Amino acid sequence: MTQPGRLALAMVLLVVVTSCVVNAVTYYLATRAPPVGALATIVGAALAGAAAAGVLAVAGGFAGLRLKRPDAAEIADIRNGPEQERSHRTTIDSEMGQAIIEGALDAFVQTDERCVVLNWSPHAEALMGWTRAEAVGRSVEELLFPEPLRVLYRQWLDRFLSEAEGSGVGGRYETPLLQKDGREFFAEVSFTALRRGEGHIVNAFVRDITAKRAAEEQLFQAQKMESVGQMTGGIAHDFNNMLTVITGTIEILADGVKHDAALASIVRMIDDAAGRASQLTANLLAFARKQPLRPRETDVNGLIEEVVQLLSPTLGRQIEIETALSDRAWPALVDRGQLSSALVNLAINARDAMPEGGRLLFRTANFAREDSDAELAGLGPGDYVTIEVIDSGAGIPAAIRDKVFEPFFSTKQFGTGTGLGLSMVFGFAKQSGGGVVVDGEEGKGACFRIYLPKANAEALEMPQAGAAPPDGELRGGTETILCVEDDDVVRAHVIGRLESLGYKVIAAANAAQALELINAGTPFDLLFTDIVMPGAMNGRQLAQKVAELRTPLRVLYTSGNTFGAFDLDKRPGEGVLLLAKPYRKAELARMVRLCLDRAIDHQGDPIPLPYSVQEDVERFLKENPPKRE
């Protein structure tokens, strides 16, 4: 009962009780009053009025109850109040959900268990190209998935929904998807499956991760190439140590059998094989970016013209060679010999891609990279010279484009190549401070683009074995050489070679032994040290330590792999000489003589006399002090 009804009932009861009391008093008076007279008349009127009031009060109370009773509409409003509130809240939640979907950074796609699209956000329109009107009602696998994945996706979704327990289950996966124009992109899909009656509703957020995936693949490729480079560099270093002994022994055998034609022919065959092995290790070091380079200011246009003249008779008449050289091309800071080898390798690779003949183009240009530019071949910001080698051959399939620079990877028939040509180009460009990329489509030729750093005013050059002019005869000497070499066989071989040239040799197996000899006051004229040695100190660090103890100092370095001992970002000094392994006796003799005859030490400072001569002078002055007059 409502509040007004309860008040009306209380009023009726109050009136009825009051009427009963009045009637009772009136009845008492009536029984005591005479039957005729004024008092009887008054009492009769009072009884009639009380009875009438009681009747009217009861009638009015019931009428009030009837008037205050809510009608059907009021009852419906009362009953529907919570439902209207819930409906209003649902409307608000729906609007908020739609706002979240439309404002999300990822595309939103809603489907049922049959893969029919139910909802399609504005971001989905922008990412996939289909409008909402075009997408809703269509099958999502036909809209987005490539043909080979459509059946697989439908089977996977059916199995997932059948195995899902309860509502709100979901997951995440990565897959290639298609845009409306047919272009493929890689997407990350986060989804939830909600049960609705006997079916499911699948809500999915789609994110384009094509750029992220490409960056991850580039990082993985770079890490793989770096790991392979470390391995090949180590193999090349050890192999060069062995080749140093092999080539030296071959020279001794050649001198011993030069009067026997049959044996001399065999020795020449062994020597040729050793030469090919040496070139193989050189290519491995080039890929590993561990080869000793002599970068200097180079006119790339002039060098390309020299290479073209060399290639014209080599490639054959079926290959038409053209050049498009920019007259504004900057000079590059690069090793001329290694750049020539790289261009020849690319030209030969292009010839093999054009067995029926074709067109080969060399093109140069300038390129400036800013900090904000997209990543390109691992290049840092700065100025670069680009050299493009473009052919009209079969091209490179996209599936193997990222593998062409890997060592021993080749699409040629077995036995027609080593698989090191392109890897050598890659390693040389990287070690020079640049990079190399390949473009082109299958059947439309290929373009290899080399980026080389622009030369500045201080071009860097590291003298090597070829720095000394060749002499007709081997020149030796009588100076003392401190030879530091960790390999026992190589050390014994080098000592024999140096002693045969007339030098006095003091041997040390590592940097610690060398420092012991130096601290003991052992005199010497030249420190001839391997760069890569076991222990806490390599050859470069040994030379720096010795220079603190003895100044000036002459140093000749040797190594089959420098392993980064020379930082090409800094000028190593005009006096730095490096004899790369393997080397012949003539190269050893020239470099030792060059280092001893130059008037500068390993830092480029002047040296007046060799140490042995200084020792003799000091001894003579001690024994024969000048007389005072």
Side-chain angles (χ1 to χ4, degrees):
M1 183 179 293
T2 62
Q3 186 69 17
R6 287 194 294 268
L7 292 175
L9 180 60
M11 292 176 64
V12 169
L13 293 175
L14 180 60
V15 173
V16 169
V17 171
T18 303
S19 299
C20 292
V21 172
V22 172
N23 288 332
V25 173
T26 303
Y27 177 77
Y28 174 76
L29 294 175
T31 56
R32 296 291 188 267
V36 180
L39 181 59
T41 303
I42 295 171
V43 171
L47 287 173
V55 173
L56 291 176
V58 173
F62 284 105
L65 288 175
R66 285 195 300 270
L67 290 175
K68 295 299 180 182
R69 184 179 180 180
D71 55 16
E74 291 176 347
I75 294 175
D77 289 341
I78 294 172
R79 292 178 178 177
N80 292 339
E83 296 182 3
Q84 290 177 349
E85 184 177 353
R86 286 194 297 270
S87 176
H88 180 63
R89 188 180 299 112
T90 301
T91 303
I92 294 176
D93 292 342
S94 177
E95 293 176 353
M96 289 181 62
Q98 190 64 29
I100 292 173
I101 291 172
E102 294 180 357
L105 298 178
D106 300 332
F108 175 78
V109 178
Q110 185 183 70
T111 66
D112 60 13
E113 70 277 0
R114 298 172 301 159
C115 299
V116 176
V117 176
L118 304 178
N119 201 350
W120 190 267
S121 73
H123 282 291
E125 294 182 345
L127 178 60
M128 271 75 84
W130 300 95
T131 65
R132 188 176 189 280
E134 293 172 329
V136 172
R138 295 185 61 179
S139 176
V140 70
E141 71 263 24
E142 295 179 0
L143 284 178
L144 301 182
F145 286 88
E147 181 67 31
L149 299 180
R150 293 176 183 175
V151 176
L152 294 177
Y153 171 74
R154 187 61 175 269
Q155 293 175 350
W156 169 84
L157 182 62
D158 292 342
R159 184 172 63 253
F160 176 82
L161 295 179
S162 63
E163 296 175 356
E165 296 180 0
S167 183
V169 295
R172 189 190 309 269
Y173 62 89
E174 296 180 358
T175 180
L177 296 178
L178 293 177
Q179 294 178 332
K180 182 179 180 180
D181 57 7
R183 288 185 295 180
E184 187 174 292
F185 68 99
F186 215 83
E188 178 188 72
V189 182
S190 304
F191 70 96
T192 55
L194 305 176
R195 185 176 296 278
R196 288 295 181 267
E198 298 298 325
H200 286 85
I201 298 295
V202 180
N203 297 320
F205 285 93
V206 182
R207 175 178 299 180
D208 185 359
I209 60 170
T210 304
K212 175 186 174 183
R213 186 86 170 205
E216 291 175 349
E217 291 179 355
Q218 289 178 357
L219 177 60
F220 173 76
Q221 183 71 9
Q223 291 173 340
K224 181 176 68 173
M225 297 289 275
E226 184 67 25
S227 299
V228 175
Q230 291 289 343
M231 181 185 68
T232 55
I235 293 173
H237 171 263
D238 294 340
F239 198 46
N240 276 335
N241 274 337
M242 293 184 287
L243 282 175
T244 300
V245 179
I246 292 172
T247 54
T249 306
I250 291 173
E251 290 180 323
I252 297 174
L253 288 175
D255 290 337
V257 300
K258 59 184 177 181
H259 300 295
D260 189 326
L263 293 178
S265 175
I266 294 175
V267 170
R268 284 194 298 272
M269 291 173 57
I270 299 174
D271 188 58
D272 291 341
R276 293 172 60 186
S278 177
Q279 184 58 47
L280 178 63
T281 57
N283 288 341
L284 286 173
L285 287 174
F287 164 73
R289 290 171 272 170
K290 305 297 183 183
Q291 62 179 338
L293 296 179
R294 299 174 57 198
R296 57 180 176 176
E297 184 175 326
T298 302
D299 177 12
V300 293
N301 288 347
L303 187 142
I304 290 175
E305 291 176 350
E306 295 176 4
V307 171
V308 169
Q309 292 179 0
L310 172 67
L311 290 174
S312 296
T314 304
L315 299 183
R317 295 182 178 180
Q318 72 276 15
I319 304 297
E320 180 183 356
I321 303 177
E322 299 179 2
T323 59
L325 308 180
S326 171
D327 55 358
R328 297 183 178 181
W330 296 319
L333 182 61
V334 66
D335 186 308
R336 287 181 58 88
Q338 293 294 335
L339 178 56
S340 298
S341 299
L343 295 178
V344 170
N345 268 303
L346 291 177
I348 293 175
N349 190 73
R351 179 200 63 186
D352 295 340
M354 300 182 291
E356 304 298 328
R359 175 174 173 265
L360 179 63
L361 173 65
F362 291 88
R363 184 163 59 193
T364 61
N366 296 330
F367 174 76
R369 188 180 183 280
E370 304 293 339
D371 287 322
S372 57
D373 292 343
E375 196 278 334
L376 177 64
L379 299 177
D383 295 330
Y384 298 88
V385 184
T386 63
I387 303 176
E388 292 181 329
V389 182
I390 307 171
D391 66 68
S392 59
I396 302 176
I400 65 171
R401 194 172 301 157
D402 294 334
K403 300 180 180 180
V404 296
F405 296 119
E406 296 180 6
F408 307 111
F409 177 84
S410 177
T411 58
K412 302 176 184 178
Q413 294 182 355
F414 181 76
T416 58
T418 63
L420 288 174
L422 293 180
S423 63
M424 186 275 289
V425 176
F426 172 85
F428 154 71
K430 286 291 186 180
Q431 189 177 356
S432 299
V436 58
V437 296
V438 57
D439 295 324
E441 300 178 6
E442 187 174 5
K444 297 182 179 180
C447 172
F448 288 87
R449 186 179 300 107
I450 301 176
Y451 295 87
L452 299 173
K454 175 186 176 183
N456 52 28
E458 298 181 357
L460 176 68
E461 181 174 356
M462 183 187 296
Q464 289 180 266
D471 293 338
E473 297 181 0
L474 300 182
R475 292 178 54 205
T478 58
E479 292 89 349
T480 301
I481 299 175
L482 176 56
C483 178
V484 187
E485 170 63 57
D486 63 286
D487 191 290
D488 296 337
V489 178
V490 176
R491 185 172 63 253
H493 169 73
V494 173
I495 291 174
R497 299 270 87 181
L498 291 173
E499 289 179 343
S500 69
L501 292 170
Y503 297 106
K504 179 183 177 181
V505 183
I506 303 171
N510 50 51
Q513 290 185 13
L515 288 175
E516 288 180 4
L517 293 170
I518 294 169
N519 290 327
T522 305
F524 62 93
D525 301 300
L526 171 66
L527 174 62
F528 180 42
T529 178
D530 193 4
I531 294 178
V532 180
M533 295 185 295
M537 190 176 295
N538 61 31
R540 186 71 188 272
Q541 294 167 335
L542 171 64
Q544 293 173 349
K545 183 64 176 179
V546 175
E548 297 174 0
L549 302 174
R550 293 191 180 185
T551 303
L553 177 67
R554 298 178 186 270
V555 180
L556 174 61
Y557 296 102
T558 183
S559 182
N561 182 352
T562 62
F563 284 101
F566 291 99
D567 186 0
L568 293 181
D569 293 334
K570 300 178 181 178
R571 191 177 182 84
E574 296 178 1
V576 174
L577 293 177
L578 176 63
L579 178 62
K581 297 177 181 179
Y583 49 79
R584 308 276 178 166
K585 183 178 181 180
E587 295 171 334
L588 174 64
R590 284 196 299 268
M591 289 300 291
V592 169
R593 199 66 254 164
L594 171 65
C595 192
L596 288 169
D597 291 343
R598 292 198 310 172
I600 58 175
D601 67 358
H602 76 298
Q603 295 293 343
D605 298 324
I607 299 178
L609 292 173
Y611 290 134
S612 58
V613 178
Q614 293 182 28
E615 292 284 342
D616 293 339
V617 171
E618 292 175 0
R619 188 180 305 109
F620 176 80
L621 291 175
K622 275 186 180 180
E623 296 174 355
N624 302 280
K627 296 180 180 180
R628 297 180 181 178
E629 297 182 355

